Amino acid sequence: MKIPGRARAATLADRLVWQCASLLLHHPDQQRLNTAAALLDHVEGLAAKHLSRTVVALRSLDPMRAAQEYVATFDLRRRCTMYLTYWTAGDTRNRGAAMLAFANTYRAAGAPTPRDEAPDYLPVVLEFAATVDADAGRGLLNGHRVAVDLLHQALYQTGSIYAPTVEAVLATLPARTGLGISRAQRLAQEGPPGETVGLQPFTLTVPPRRI
């Protein structure tokens, strides 16, 4: 079955947003920033404005300050974690199974064996969606929409330069349902589930294929 031209255009537009966002949400370096800025020439509408805000903000910082900002945002604040299964599974046995579902999705799409990062890490998921399988990647993002919403909320509340980038990602996903909104509100108030007894470290990682 042929994909209608409008649907193909929408998918391509979303892939550009996802790839640019992936680059911006990785630990900052000049090459990634330059590539993201180049991709912005092909992104349109509000997504371009959101992503460009992060690009401009990062370019205004020297490399040391950018690295410090990144660590302070994502490594020192649990509420800003980019590990999507953390919010829904927390530190429980269920988290291993949740991450395995990501890894299995990558393998089914022919992605390489995991190596350097956890499979539920948002920049990894975004790059997979952008460069490997848009439909499967969109499914992972939408299936963990609550986690992405909570991340955006936390970044926005702290005035982070990364909040607009996550907002651009959210704009590529279907509108939230009433159930999703309620779940996000509950998790924001109560936090993720907790369980530490009997846990073993889960180290499976899946890097997406790069373009």
Side-chain angles (χ1 to χ4, degrees), residues 76-150:
L76 301 182
R77 296 189 182 113
R78 276 199 172 189
R79 288 187 175 272
C80 293
T81 182
M82 288 194 284
Y83 295 97
L84 298 182
T85 63
Y86 171 75
W87 277 103
T88 53
D91 293 322
T92 71
R93 295 173 179 84
N94 293 331
R95 192 173 176 202
M99 285 196 285
L100 185 59
F102 278 81
N104 287 338
T105 299
Y106 299 157
R107 290 195 187 99
T113 304
R115 291 185 183 277
D116 300 326
E117 191 50 86
D120 65 331
Y121 187 54
L122 181 57
V124 170
V125 182
L126 289 169
E127 190 164 351
F128 169 79
T131 66
V132 180
D133 190 323
D135 290 338
R138 192 191 303 277
L140 290 173
L141 291 167
N142 197 44
H144 293 78
R145 169 68 184 262
V146 169
V148 183
D149 277 327
L150 290 168

Side-chain angles (χ1 to χ4, degrees), residues 177-193:
T177 64
L179 181 62
I181 293 172
S182 298
R183 191 182 185 199
Q185 290 172 339
R186 178 177 60 80
L187 284 172
Q189 293 173 353
E190 300 176 3

